């Protein structure tokens, strides 16, 4: 990319770096994948690149080294770019607490709960200055910033308060490429309709399209791409093939399948004689479900999401994952008979692991005047733990030892656990002092997300599980979750490098919005109160 001659305090040279906004025809069109792939392709070319998403709605979050909470998708994209994730990359994070309200996390810290109506009625616009400043800072310190949109830019009912799609594109004069999922069907109508529903000012920024998840012979698609160009005056920058087993971190726990195998990865044969079956309770408002990805990466470990008690019967390990609604999840487990099934497992000495909210509801009692405001609620009583919800959220990146192995994780919780007993310290410091968690028999609990990504600890834990379950399962000695994740990110970079017009994308990132793009009627009605970029 072009480099100038004056250096700023970050060591980067030149004026604000190039940029691009990756929008989508729908949610789950592939924006996160394409953004990560472009980041990995650019960094392999020697470009200093950063990801950015102005506003993210997700229950799947991450904690930066300085204690800021951001969307896990942006942390994954930062890994693709080989940079340390920061709150600048996701200044606004919304964590749903139900269908109509969310916790607002601003610059990595929670600032309150808002209804959807309250947020879109004014609060969103108040955050616009913060969002544009964060993007400007990233552009000052990087050669390029690849921004991800949210949902669709053609949500005309929300356009006047938009800060994540055309609002930020207008403010920063970013060229926009729109990603469409052809596997769903209707991709040409989606591209055309998305463009035609935008105002003339917004359409000026739509540079073209990327087709995602294509199966078959691209030559059969090409006539449609030519017709789309004739209709819109805009080119298609790439046709990305359908790829199995990418295994990247999803954004939204609300959309994870409640049934079926986790991910689409090819299951390697077991290292020992047996497989190990893991059932994950698909609790409401499930958060950080990516905790089980490291288990699914182990050869011979089969991980499934379940929501019926009979599905726990043949599981060697049951995981109760994190949740944004601990008390609600507790009631759900009881209503479905899963609570009784977990109690039977504990009595029989069969393994159960609770993570974060899942750990809390395994305890004796929950005092919650913060999240659910339900007051005192009896837990499942499987661990001698009492939980009190604090107003201030714990956000940390702890390090310790467990089962004789080094372990790292991250904490995101309001609940403070008081451990009143247990069979042994679960996670400790190097002096043996307890840091977190509890174990009674084959029931384990910890607040630490991501701990299973520590390879030695994961193998030691699975050996304990296999012994308790009576399985001749042996963890593979050489599985590196970090290396597998790097391979997946490289595959995303390969998708862009091999199936997109990278020369044209590079020109777009460097040179900005192309001129002469035609208006496609009818366009959106004029905005009576809008975010007008620099003319607010």
């Amino acid at each position: 990319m072009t480099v100038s001659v004056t250096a700023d305090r970050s060591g980067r040279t030149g004026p604000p770096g190039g940029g691009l906004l990756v929008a989508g025809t729908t949610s789950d069109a592939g924006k996160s994948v394409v953004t990560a792939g472009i980041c990995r392709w650019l960094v392999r070319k020697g470009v200093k690149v950063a990801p950015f998403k102005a506003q993210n709605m997700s229950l799947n979050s991450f904690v930066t080294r300085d204690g800021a909470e951001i969307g896990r998708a942006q942390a994954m994209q930062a890994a693709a770019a080989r940079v340390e994730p920061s709150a600048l990359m996701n200044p606004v994070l919304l964590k749903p607490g139900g269908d109509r309200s969310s916790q607002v996390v601003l610059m990595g810290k929670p600032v309150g709960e808002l209804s959807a109506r309250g947020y879109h009625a004014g609060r969103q616009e108040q955050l616009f200055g913060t969002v544009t400043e964060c993007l400007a800072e990233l552009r000052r310190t990087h050669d390029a910033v690849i921004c991800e949109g949210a949902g669709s830019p053609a949500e005309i009912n929300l356009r006047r308060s938009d800060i994540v799609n055309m609002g930020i594109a207008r403010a920063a004069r970013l060229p926009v490429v729109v990603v469409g999922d052809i596997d769903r069907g209707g991709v040409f109508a989606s591209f055309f309709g998305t463009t035609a529903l935008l105002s003339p000012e917004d359409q000026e920024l739509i540079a073209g399209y990327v087709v995602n998840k294509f199966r078959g012979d691209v030559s059969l698609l090409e006539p449609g791409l030519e017709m789309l160009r004739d209709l819109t005056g805009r080119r298609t920058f790439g046709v990305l093939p359908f790829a199995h087993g990418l295994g990247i971190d999803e954004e939204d726990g609300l959309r994870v399948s409640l049934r079926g195998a986790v991910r689409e990865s090819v299951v390697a044969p077991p290292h020992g004689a047996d497989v190990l079956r893991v059932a994950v309770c698909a609790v409401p408002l499930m958060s950080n479900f990516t905790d089980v990805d490291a288990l699914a990466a182990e050869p011979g470990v089969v991980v499934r999401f379940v929501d019926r008690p009979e599905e726990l019967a043949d599981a060697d390990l049951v995981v109760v994952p994190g949740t944004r609604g601990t008390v609600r999840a507790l009631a759900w487990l009881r209503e479905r008979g899963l609570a009784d099934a977990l109690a039977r497992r504990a009595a029989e000495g069969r393994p159960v692991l609770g993570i974060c909210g899942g750990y809390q509801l395994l305890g004796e009692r929950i005092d919650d005047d913060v999240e659910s405001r339900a007051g005192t609620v009896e837990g499942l009583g499987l661990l001698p733990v009492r939980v009190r919800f604090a107003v201030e959220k714990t956000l940390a990146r702890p390090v310790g030892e467990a089962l004789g192995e080094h372990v790292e994780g991250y904490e995101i919780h309001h609940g403070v656990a008081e451990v009143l007993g247990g069979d042994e310290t679960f996670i400790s410091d190097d002096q043996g002092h307890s840091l977190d968690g509890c174990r009674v028999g084959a029931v384990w609990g910890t607040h630490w997300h991501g701990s299973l990504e520590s390879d030695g600890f994961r193998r030691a834990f699975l050996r304990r599980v296999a012994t308790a379950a009576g399985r001749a399962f042996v963890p593979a000695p050489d599985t590196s979750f970090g290396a597998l994740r790097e391979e997946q990110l490289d595959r995303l970079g390969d998708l862009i490098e091999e199936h997109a017009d990278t020369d044209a994308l590079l020109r777009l990132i460097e040179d900005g919005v192309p001129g002469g793009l035609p208006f496609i009627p009818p366009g959106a009605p004029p905005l009576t109160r809008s975010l007008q970029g620099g003319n607010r």
Side-chain angles (χ1 to χ4, degrees), residues 458-527:
R458 182 181 64 255
R459 287 192 279 268
F461 177 70
L462 289 177
R463 282 193 289 269
R464 290 275 193 110
V465 168
T467 299
R471 293 284 186 188
F473 170 83
V474 179
D478 55 352
T479 301
S480 167
F481 186 73
L484 289 172
R485 174 158 286 171
E486 273 297 297
E487 289 175 11
Q488 290 165 340
L489 294 174
D490 274 331
R491 289 182 64 196
L492 297 182
D494 293 343
L495 281 177
I496 299 300
E497 191 166 344
E498 296 170 9
H499 300 282
D501 186 337
T502 53
D503 289 340
L505 280 177
L506 197 57
R507 285 194 300 272
L508 201 61
I509 294 167
E510 287 184 326
D511 300 339
V513 181
L517 296 172
F519 171 69
I520 309 300
L527 301 177

Side-chain angles (χ1 to χ4, degrees), residues 34-70:
V34 172
T35 300
I38 292 174
C39 285
R40 178 49 60 100
W41 158 63
L42 285 173
V43 77
R44 291 196 305 208
K45 287 179 62 67
V47 176
K48 186 178 182 183
V49 58
F52 177 79
K53 186 163 186 172
Q55 170 197 296
N56 198 348
M57 177 172 280
S58 179
L59 289 171
N60 200 18
S61 58
F62 184 75
V63 179
T64 66
R65 293 203 179 277
D66 59 355
E69 184 180 7
I70 65 172

Side-chain angles (χ1 to χ4, degrees), residues 52-127:
F52 177 79
K53 186 163 186 172
Q55 170 197 296
N56 198 348
M57 177 172 280
S58 179
L59 289 171
N60 200 18
S61 58
F62 184 75
V63 179
T64 66
R65 293 203 179 277
D66 59 355
E69 184 180 7
I70 65 172
R72 191 165 171 106
Q74 278 60 67
M76 176 271 296
Q77 290 162 356
R82 295 180 180 146
V83 294
E84 190 67 32
S86 80
L88 291 172
M89 298 172 185
N90 179 208
V92 181
L93 172 64
L94 306 179
K95 302 195 73 175
D99 292 336
R100 297 187 178 182
S101 67
S102 295
Q103 183 182 66
V104 181
V105 179
L106 178 62
M107 294 304 294
K109 304 296 179 184
V111 294
E113 296 273 341
L114 273 180
S115 68
R117 179 177 293 276
Y119 184 68
H120 289 287
R123 179 60 167 158
Q124 193 172 27
E125 293 187 44
Q126 295 170 13
L127 300 175

Side-chain angles (χ1 to χ4, degrees), residues 311-326:
E311 293 175 302
L312 305 189
D314 68 345
D316 302 305
L317 168 67
V318 173
V319 177
V320 187
T323 170
R324 173 82 165 85
T326 302

